[in-house]
Short mmCIF file of all heavy atoms in Angstrom, two decimals:
data_model
loop_
_atom_site.label_atom_id
_atom_site.label_comp_id
_atom_site.label_asym_id
_atom_site.label_seq_id
_atom_site.Cartn_x
_atom_site.Cartn_y
_atom_site.Cartn_z
N SER A 70 -107.99 42.16 30.84
CA SER A 70 -109.36 42.40 30.33
C SER A 70 -109.35 42.61 28.82
O SER A 70 -110.26 42.20 28.11
CB SER A 70 -109.98 43.62 31.01
OG SER A 70 -111.34 43.73 30.64
N PHE A 71 -108.27 43.27 28.33
CA PHE A 71 -108.16 43.57 26.90
C PHE A 71 -107.55 42.36 26.20
O PHE A 71 -106.32 42.24 26.07
CB PHE A 71 -107.28 44.81 26.73
CG PHE A 71 -107.37 45.46 25.38
CD1 PHE A 71 -108.55 45.50 24.66
CD2 PHE A 71 -106.26 46.08 24.83
CE1 PHE A 71 -108.63 46.12 23.42
CE2 PHE A 71 -106.31 46.72 23.60
CZ PHE A 71 -107.51 46.73 22.90
N THR A 72 -108.41 41.42 25.79
CA THR A 72 -107.94 40.18 25.21
C THR A 72 -109.07 39.51 24.44
O THR A 72 -110.19 40.02 24.37
CB THR A 72 -107.37 39.24 26.30
OG1 THR A 72 -106.69 38.15 25.66
CG2 THR A 72 -108.46 38.70 27.21
N PHE A 73 -108.77 38.35 23.90
CA PHE A 73 -109.72 37.53 23.16
C PHE A 73 -110.33 36.51 24.13
O PHE A 73 -109.66 36.08 25.07
CB PHE A 73 -108.96 36.83 22.03
CG PHE A 73 -109.71 35.76 21.31
CD1 PHE A 73 -110.86 36.04 20.58
CD2 PHE A 73 -109.26 34.44 21.33
CE1 PHE A 73 -111.54 35.03 19.90
CE2 PHE A 73 -109.92 33.43 20.66
CZ PHE A 73 -111.07 33.73 19.95
N ILE A 74 -111.57 36.13 23.89
CA ILE A 74 -112.30 35.25 24.81
C ILE A 74 -111.57 33.93 25.09
O ILE A 74 -111.72 33.34 26.17
CB ILE A 74 -113.73 34.99 24.26
CG1 ILE A 74 -114.59 34.21 25.26
CG2 ILE A 74 -113.70 34.26 22.92
CD1 ILE A 74 -115.01 34.98 26.47
N GLY A 75 -110.76 33.47 24.12
CA GLY A 75 -110.02 32.21 24.32
C GLY A 75 -109.07 32.24 25.50
O GLY A 75 -108.72 31.21 26.07
N SER A 76 -108.65 33.44 25.92
CA SER A 76 -107.80 33.60 27.11
C SER A 76 -108.55 33.26 28.38
O SER A 76 -107.95 32.84 29.36
CB SER A 76 -107.40 35.07 27.31
OG SER A 76 -106.59 35.53 26.32
N VAL A 77 -109.82 33.54 28.35
CA VAL A 77 -110.60 33.67 29.59
C VAL A 77 -111.58 32.51 29.79
O VAL A 77 -111.84 32.09 30.92
CB VAL A 77 -111.35 35.03 29.51
CG1 VAL A 77 -112.40 35.15 30.59
CG2 VAL A 77 -110.36 36.18 29.57
N ALA A 78 -112.12 31.98 28.69
CA ALA A 78 -113.11 30.91 28.79
C ALA A 78 -112.60 29.72 29.62
O ALA A 78 -113.37 29.14 30.39
CB ALA A 78 -113.54 30.46 27.39
N PRO A 79 -111.29 29.35 29.54
CA PRO A 79 -110.82 28.23 30.35
C PRO A 79 -111.00 28.44 31.86
O PRO A 79 -111.12 27.47 32.61
CB PRO A 79 -109.34 28.12 29.98
CG PRO A 79 -109.29 28.64 28.57
CD PRO A 79 -110.26 29.78 28.55
N ILE A 80 -111.03 29.69 32.31
CA ILE A 80 -111.29 29.95 33.74
C ILE A 80 -112.69 29.44 34.09
O ILE A 80 -112.91 28.82 35.13
CB ILE A 80 -111.16 31.46 34.06
CG1 ILE A 80 -109.76 31.96 33.71
CG2 ILE A 80 -111.50 31.73 35.52
CD1 ILE A 80 -109.62 33.49 33.74
N LEU A 81 -113.63 29.66 33.16
CA LEU A 81 -115.01 29.20 33.37
C LEU A 81 -115.08 27.67 33.27
O LEU A 81 -115.85 27.05 34.00
CB LEU A 81 -115.97 29.84 32.37
CG LEU A 81 -115.96 31.38 32.31
CD1 LEU A 81 -117.05 31.87 31.35
CD2 LEU A 81 -116.15 32.00 33.68
N TYR A 82 -114.28 27.08 32.37
CA TYR A 82 -114.29 25.61 32.26
C TYR A 82 -113.96 24.98 33.62
O TYR A 82 -114.43 23.90 33.94
CB TYR A 82 -113.24 25.08 31.26
CG TYR A 82 -113.31 25.56 29.83
CD1 TYR A 82 -112.25 25.29 28.97
CD2 TYR A 82 -114.41 26.22 29.34
CE1 TYR A 82 -112.27 25.71 27.65
CE2 TYR A 82 -114.44 26.65 28.01
CZ TYR A 82 -113.36 26.39 27.19
OH TYR A 82 -113.37 26.81 25.88
N GLN A 83 -113.06 25.67 34.38
CA GLN A 83 -112.64 25.14 35.68
C GLN A 83 -113.56 25.61 36.82
O GLN A 83 -113.24 25.41 37.99
CB GLN A 83 -111.20 25.56 35.97
CG GLN A 83 -110.16 24.76 35.20
CD GLN A 83 -110.28 23.27 35.42
OE1 GLN A 83 -110.89 22.55 34.62
NE2 GLN A 83 -109.75 22.80 36.53
N ASN A 84 -114.68 26.24 36.45
CA ASN A 84 -115.61 26.77 37.45
C ASN A 84 -114.92 27.71 38.44
O ASN A 84 -115.32 27.81 39.60
CB ASN A 84 -116.31 25.64 38.21
CG ASN A 84 -117.25 24.88 37.29
OD1 ASN A 84 -118.12 25.47 36.66
ND2 ASN A 84 -117.05 23.58 37.18
N ALA A 85 -113.90 28.39 37.97
CA ALA A 85 -113.24 29.42 38.78
C ALA A 85 -113.79 30.79 38.37
O ALA A 85 -114.61 30.89 37.45
CB ALA A 85 -111.72 29.35 38.58
N THR A 86 -113.34 31.84 39.06
CA THR A 86 -113.89 33.18 38.84
C THR A 86 -112.82 34.12 38.33
O THR A 86 -111.77 34.28 38.98
CB THR A 86 -114.46 33.72 40.17
OG1 THR A 86 -115.38 32.77 40.68
CG2 THR A 86 -115.15 35.06 39.97
N PRO A 87 -113.06 34.77 37.17
CA PRO A 87 -112.05 35.71 36.66
C PRO A 87 -112.13 37.07 37.36
O PRO A 87 -113.21 37.48 37.80
CB PRO A 87 -112.44 35.87 35.18
CG PRO A 87 -113.90 35.58 35.13
CD PRO A 87 -114.20 34.65 36.25
N ILE A 88 -110.99 37.73 37.48
CA ILE A 88 -110.94 39.13 37.90
C ILE A 88 -110.19 39.87 36.80
O ILE A 88 -109.03 39.57 36.53
CB ILE A 88 -110.20 39.31 39.24
CG1 ILE A 88 -110.91 38.53 40.34
CG2 ILE A 88 -110.12 40.80 39.60
CD1 ILE A 88 -110.16 38.55 41.69
N PHE A 89 -110.88 40.81 36.15
CA PHE A 89 -110.31 41.47 34.96
C PHE A 89 -109.50 42.71 35.34
O PHE A 89 -109.95 43.51 36.16
CB PHE A 89 -111.41 41.84 33.97
CG PHE A 89 -112.15 40.63 33.48
CD1 PHE A 89 -113.47 40.40 33.84
CD2 PHE A 89 -111.50 39.70 32.68
CE1 PHE A 89 -114.14 39.27 33.40
CE2 PHE A 89 -112.16 38.58 32.23
CZ PHE A 89 -113.48 38.35 32.59
N ILE A 90 -108.34 42.83 34.71
CA ILE A 90 -107.47 43.98 34.97
C ILE A 90 -107.24 44.74 33.67
O ILE A 90 -106.93 44.15 32.64
CB ILE A 90 -106.12 43.52 35.58
CG1 ILE A 90 -106.39 42.72 36.87
CG2 ILE A 90 -105.21 44.71 35.85
CD1 ILE A 90 -105.14 42.17 37.52
N ASP A 91 -107.37 46.05 33.76
CA ASP A 91 -107.30 46.94 32.58
C ASP A 91 -105.86 47.11 32.09
O ASP A 91 -104.92 46.60 32.70
CB ASP A 91 -107.92 48.30 32.94
CG ASP A 91 -108.69 48.91 31.78
OD1 ASP A 91 -108.20 48.79 30.63
OD2 ASP A 91 -109.76 49.49 32.01
N SER A 92 -105.72 47.84 31.01
CA SER A 92 -104.44 48.04 30.32
C SER A 92 -103.82 49.39 30.64
O SER A 92 -104.48 50.25 31.27
CB SER A 92 -104.67 47.99 28.81
OG SER A 92 -105.15 46.74 28.43
N ASP A 93 -102.58 49.61 30.21
CA ASP A 93 -102.01 50.97 30.21
C ASP A 93 -101.67 51.36 28.77
O ASP A 93 -101.61 50.50 27.89
CB ASP A 93 -100.80 51.08 31.14
CG ASP A 93 -99.63 50.18 30.73
OD1 ASP A 93 -99.59 49.75 29.57
OD2 ASP A 93 -98.78 49.92 31.58
N TYR A 94 -101.46 52.67 28.55
CA TYR A 94 -101.20 53.14 27.18
C TYR A 94 -99.78 52.79 26.72
O TYR A 94 -99.51 52.76 25.53
CB TYR A 94 -101.42 54.65 27.08
CG TYR A 94 -102.90 55.02 27.05
CD1 TYR A 94 -103.46 55.81 28.06
CD2 TYR A 94 -103.73 54.59 26.03
CE1 TYR A 94 -104.81 56.13 28.04
CE2 TYR A 94 -105.08 54.91 26.00
CZ TYR A 94 -105.62 55.68 27.01
OH TYR A 94 -106.94 55.99 26.99
N ALA A 95 -98.87 52.52 27.67
CA ALA A 95 -97.48 52.22 27.29
C ALA A 95 -97.37 50.88 26.56
O ALA A 95 -96.51 50.71 25.71
CB ALA A 95 -96.59 52.23 28.52
N SER A 96 -98.24 49.93 26.92
CA SER A 96 -98.11 48.59 26.32
C SER A 96 -99.42 48.09 25.71
O SER A 96 -99.42 47.08 25.01
CB SER A 96 -97.66 47.58 27.39
OG SER A 96 -98.68 47.38 28.34
N TRP A 97 -100.53 48.77 25.99
CA TRP A 97 -101.88 48.32 25.65
C TRP A 97 -102.22 47.01 26.39
O TRP A 97 -103.30 46.47 26.25
CB TRP A 97 -102.10 48.12 24.16
CG TRP A 97 -102.10 49.37 23.33
CD1 TRP A 97 -101.60 50.60 23.65
CD2 TRP A 97 -102.67 49.53 22.01
NE1 TRP A 97 -101.80 51.49 22.64
CE2 TRP A 97 -102.44 50.86 21.61
CE3 TRP A 97 -103.31 48.66 21.13
CZ2 TRP A 97 -102.85 51.36 20.37
CZ3 TRP A 97 -103.71 49.16 19.90
CH2 TRP A 97 -103.50 50.48 19.52
N ASN A 98 -101.25 46.49 27.15
CA ASN A 98 -101.46 45.25 27.90
C ASN A 98 -101.67 45.57 29.37
O ASN A 98 -101.72 46.74 29.76
CB ASN A 98 -100.25 44.34 27.70
CG ASN A 98 -100.26 43.67 26.33
OD1 ASN A 98 -101.26 43.08 25.93
ND2 ASN A 98 -99.15 43.80 25.61
#
Side-chain angles (χ1 to χ4, degrees):
S70 187
F71 196 35
T72 191
F73 169 64
I74 187 71
S76 294
V77 168
I80 300 169
L81 306 185
Y82 302 168
Q83 284 304 97
N84 292 305
T86 306
I88 301 175
F89 298 112
I90 303 177
D91 216 321
S92 298
D93 62 19
Y94 285 117
S96 69
W97 291 20
N98 284 309

